[in-house]
Amino acid sequence: MSDSILKNKSSDPKQGVYFIGTTPPKQDTDIELVSGIADKLLSRLDEIDYDGLIVYDIQDETSRIDKPRPFPFKYTHDSRLYSKLLHDKCNKPVITYKSVSQRDSADFSTWLNDAWHQFSVRDIVLVGSPSAEGEIKLSLNDAYGVLKEHNLDFHLGGVTIAERHINKGDEHIRLNNKVVRGCEFFISQAVYNAQATIDLLTRYASQCKKDGVKPKRIVLTFSPCGSEKTLEFIEWLGISVPEATKLRILESENPLKESLLINRNNFEQILQACLPLDIPFGLNIESLTNRKEEIDAAILLFKLLKATLDLKLAESQL
């Protein structure tokens, strides 16, 4: 595997790209069991048509927020190991996240080398520190610099956070700065606030037009929410949930179903407003918990939203 399959696939703005997001099993999970967990995930995905997987690198984000984490933090297996396992089993591309702040540039350099040669990683997303607090051994900008020194042709992506745009109004500038550093696509954090995402994407497209460049692909992430505890976790992660949305979920007889309808409606609003801006779109569906009903709901949400994007893209070519 010499280069990224996704790089070729995602170059056509008229095509959607479709992902399932997942996290590696907890670090204390026996390696044979890890393989079984991967098999179970992939068997669930047999019924859907997806382009690849995204494997997150979970960080301890307690420095970002004073509130206790609704689900206790536990370290997971190496994201590269789980990516390789999934790739070998399903033969689809896997985007591997890497949190860069905990180790210095020499360590990160070794990580990149091993990722490429030992774990066949080709598609990566680098993530900076969750907050300015605590010890940061390597900034995101410095990590991009280390990556540039390597003669390895990673397909590089970045994270985009609409909530940051609500607060600071400069996320579009961050995106363009990351493009200059080599990012070729962006993955959002889970969307529950359609307007915040529309504001960010409209501003980004406007800036690209001004600069005479084409917008990069934006992969929008959506996630089901079936309980008050999951909603609490969503908000703990820094995801903006409008009050009306919260009430609709919590007061519904079937919160999980309600969250799927909300996600679809949010996605339709975003596409309606932003497809005319010539931004190439992708879709990523994740379950934020290990609850079986939320994992099953994520598969259904994938079907709903993929059908939505495919239809809107077809209509835009009329």
Side-chain angles (χ1 to χ4, degrees):
M1 190 169 69
S2 59
D3 60 1
S4 162
I5 299 162
L6 281 178
K7 192 183 285 191
N8 306 327
K9 185 163 188 93
S10 64
S11 59
D12 180 1
K14 293 186 178 70
Q15 296 286 321
V17 289
Y18 301 99
F19 298 99
I20 292 289
T22 188
T23 52
K26 303 287 180 276
Q27 204 172 43
D28 56 8
T29 310
D30 189 84
I31 202 72
E32 277 76 31
L33 289 176
V34 170
S35 180
I37 289 166
D39 289 336
K40 198 171 176 184
L41 168 66
L42 295 173
S43 71
R44 273 194 170 110
L45 305 183
D46 274 348
E47 59 180 281
I48 59 172
D49 180 18
Y50 63 105
D51 293 310
L53 292 137
I54 294 170
V55 173
Y56 298 113
D57 185 17
I58 300 297
Q59 309 174 67
D60 183 359
E61 295 187 40
T62 44
S63 64
R64 184 182 49 77
I65 189 167
D66 292 334
K67 282 185 183 168
R69 199 179 195 273
F71 299 101
F73 172 77
K74 285 184 179 168
Y75 286 99
T76 64
H77 277 281
D78 189 324
S79 57
R80 297 170 300 181
L81 174 96
Y82 200 51
S83 290
K84 181 166 180 16
L85 197 61
L86 289 168
H87 172 74
D88 290 349
K89 286 173 182 292
C90 72
N91 203 26
K92 287 180 187 278
V94 181
I95 296 172
T96 306
Y97 270 54
K98 171 60 177 164
S99 164
V100 300
S101 62
Q102 302 96 329
R103 294 169 181 232
D104 63 19
S105 56
D107 274 349
F108 180 53
S109 192
T110 304
W111 186 94
L112 288 168
N113 214 35
D114 292 348
W116 184 277
H117 295 293
Q118 286 182 31
F119 296 98
S120 307
V121 171
R122 297 294 177 265
D123 305 273
I124 58 172
V125 168
L126 302 184
V127 184
S129 174
S131 81
E133 306 298 315
E135 189 183 4
I136 299 170
K137 292 184 179 170
L138 187 67
S139 73
L140 188 54
N141 263 345
D142 289 344
Y144 288 139
V146 174
L147 178 62
K148 202 165 189 176
E149 288 167 18
H150 275 261
N151 192 23
L152 300 170
D153 189 23
F154 284 106
H155 182 219
L156 174 66
V159 169
T160 183
I161 300 174
E163 285 77 1
R164 225 164 23 198
H165 196 71
I166 299 173
N167 297 329
K168 298 185 176 173
D170 66 351
E171 187 70 5
H172 59 296
I173 294 166
R174 283 174 188 255
L175 294 184
N176 281 335
N177 288 343
K178 286 178 181 179
V179 170
V180 170
R181 305 308 297 264
C183 286
E184 298 180 60
F185 63 95
F186 295 98
I187 299 173
S188 80
Q189 82 172 1
V191 173
Y192 263 92
N193 183 335
Q195 193 57 50
T197 299
I198 290 167
D199 289 349
L200 163 61
L201 296 179
T202 307
R203 175 65 67 172
Y204 172 58
S206 169
Q207 189 68 44
C208 288
K209 198 173 182 183
K210 208 190 303 185
D211 296 344
V213 296
K214 284 189 158 59
K216 296 293 183 187
R217 187 176 295 274
I218 307 284
V219 177
L220 293 173
T221 301
F222 293 88
S223 183
C225 173
S227 73
E228 190 169 353
K229 185 94 173 194
T230 303
L231 183 57
E232 198 186 318
F233 186 46
I234 285 170
E235 293 197 290
W236 186 89
L237 289 166
I239 295 161
S240 162
V241 187
E243 190 177 3
T245 301
K246 268 188 258 190
L247 292 171
R248 270 183 67 185
I249 292 170
L250 294 175
E251 294 180 2
S252 169
E253 285 180 18
N254 187 338
L256 199 50
K257 180 182 173 184
E258 193 67 29
S259 80
L260 300 192
L261 296 173
I262 287 166
N263 274 302
R264 183 172 67 172
N265 184 252
N266 282 343
F267 193 38
E268 284 173 342
Q269 283 182 53
I270 293 163
L271 293 177
Q272 178 113 28
C274 300
L275 263 186
L277 304 175
D278 291 326
I279 298 171
F281 280 104
L283 184 65
N284 171 38
I285 305 295
E286 62 180 9
S287 172
L288 289 166
T289 73
N290 287 330
R291 293 174 61 213
K292 184 184 182 299
E293 56 269 34
E294 289 187 340
I295 294 169
D296 291 343
I299 306 287
L300 178 54
L301 184 59
F302 180 94
K303 292 177 184 173
L304 282 169
L305 299 196
K306 181 179 189 294
T308 302
L309 181 52
D310 282 341
L311 179 63
K312 297 288 183 196
L313 286 169
E315 285 174 353
S316 71
Q317 290 169 54
L318 286 173

